[in-house]
Amino acid sequence: MKTFKRMPKHIGVIPDGNRRWAVGQGLQKTDGYPHGIGPGLELYEACLELGVEEMTFYGFTMDNVKRPSLQTKAFQKACVDSVNELKKRDADLLVLGNTDSKVFPKELLPYAMNRTQFGEGKMKVNFLVNYGWNWDLNYALNHEETGDLIDNIASKDVSRMDMVLRWGGRRRLSGFLPIQSVYSDIFVIDEYWPDYKNQHLYDALDWYQKTDVTLGG
């Protein structure tokens, strides 16, 4: 395991390219999603060993459910299977997304909107499931208590992300936690998510050593 002098406390993960990977393998698009579960666990284990304190994984968005029903069912199941695997590890899990919709997997309701500790809970893991940036921000309008707007958004318990990693070569955030990503450094990996290897993480962290963190100052 490599070591780094400077480590991000919170890493966001956009695991893109599952469908394109499947097509390239001569498979159906739906076959790409289960192949993304293992890479997520491998990345989690690598970050845990490096001392990362918090990670946020993009599961699926409220826009993604516009895809064909077979694809929707496939990524819903992949999210459930991912959480079932994470339950075997030392994670402090928060599943974040619109639970009022029928597309939110009912198996994940016990972990939604409040943290659940598995094992020793060594790392905070946020999993965005049926998430929408508009839903996140508008949540504050219906649940406003005190303080600033950002104290009442749905994702208020998620800290600012130091770095966002996106697989699949596309250079956009796709509505990924707009408040927490406002000052994130973004590193794009051209390979598709199912082809994840730890070297991708090391390359991102090597690059991160050279970035400056001013937060606008």
Side-chain angles (χ1 to χ4, degrees):
M1 173 68 69
K2 290 188 65 173
T3 59
F4 300 89
K5 290 183 177 180
R6 178 168 167 257
M7 283 295 299
K9 291 182 178 179
H10 184 182
I11 294 178
V13 180
I14 303 178
D16 197 21
N18 297 282
R19 294 184 298 170
R20 286 175 285 161
W21 178 88
V23 171
Q25 300 293 317
L27 304 172
Q28 297 296 315
K29 290 181 178 180
T30 53
D31 295 327
Y33 299 114
H35 285 89
I37 298 172
L41 296 169
E42 188 176 355
L43 175 59
Y44 161 79
E45 294 289 355
C47 287
L48 182 62
E49 188 171 347
L50 286 165
V52 175
E53 298 176 8
E54 185 171 358
M55 297 185 73
T56 297
F57 289 86
Y58 223 168
F60 69 88
T61 74
M62 295 169 68
D63 290 325
N64 291 152
V65 297
K66 300 172 185 176
R67 295 175 183 174
S69 61
L70 286 178
Q71 291 183 32
T72 299
K73 291 176 182 177
F75 59 62
Q76 287 172 321
K77 184 178 185 303
C79 288
V80 173
D81 291 345
S82 295
V83 169
N84 285 334
E85 287 297 321
L86 192 64
K87 286 161 65 174
K88 304 172 186 177
R89 293 161 171 81
D90 297 312
D92 192 14
L93 176 68
L94 170 65
V95 177
L96 183 64
N98 183 2
T99 59
D100 293 331
S101 170
K102 63 181 180 180
V103 300
F104 188 94
K106 64 180 184 302
E107 298 91 335
L108 300 184
L109 285 172
Y111 317 111
M113 307 304 286
N114 291 290
R115 291 199 177 277
T116 302
Q117 180 175 312
F118 302 127
E120 297 180 22
K122 293 181 179 178
M123 184 201 293
K124 287 184 177 180
V125 178
N126 312 304
F127 197 18
L128 307 190
V129 176
N130 196 41
Y131 174 83
W133 66 268
N134 193 45
W135 165 83
D136 188 359
L137 302 185
N138 276 299
Y139 188 90
L141 300 179
N142 299 318
H143 300 81
E144 187 171 358
E145 298 173 4
T146 59
D148 294 334
L149 176 72
I150 60 174
D151 294 328
N152 298 288
I153 60 177
S155 61
K156 63 181 181 297
D157 291 329
V158 179
S159 70
R160 183 182 66 81
M161 291 183 289
D162 302 291
M163 182 167 66
V164 173
L165 309 182
R166 177 165 188 151
W167 276 260
R170 288 175 176 158
R171 286 154 171 78
R172 56 177 179 249
L173 285 172
S174 300
F176 187 46
L177 290 175
I179 298 298
Q180 291 86 348
S181 64
V182 68
Y183 280 118
S184 300
D185 288 306
I186 303 171
F187 188 86
V188 177
I189 298 99
D190 289 329
E191 285 89 345
Y192 299 142
W193 173 242
D195 286 328
Y196 168 81
K197 49 181 177 266
N198 283 342
Q199 189 60 49
H200 296 160
L201 173 62
Y202 301 153
D203 290 343
L205 292 173
D206 280 333
W207 170 81
Y208 187 72
Q209 305 306 300
K210 306 178 185 70
T211 63
D212 61 331
V213 180
T214 65
L215 303 182

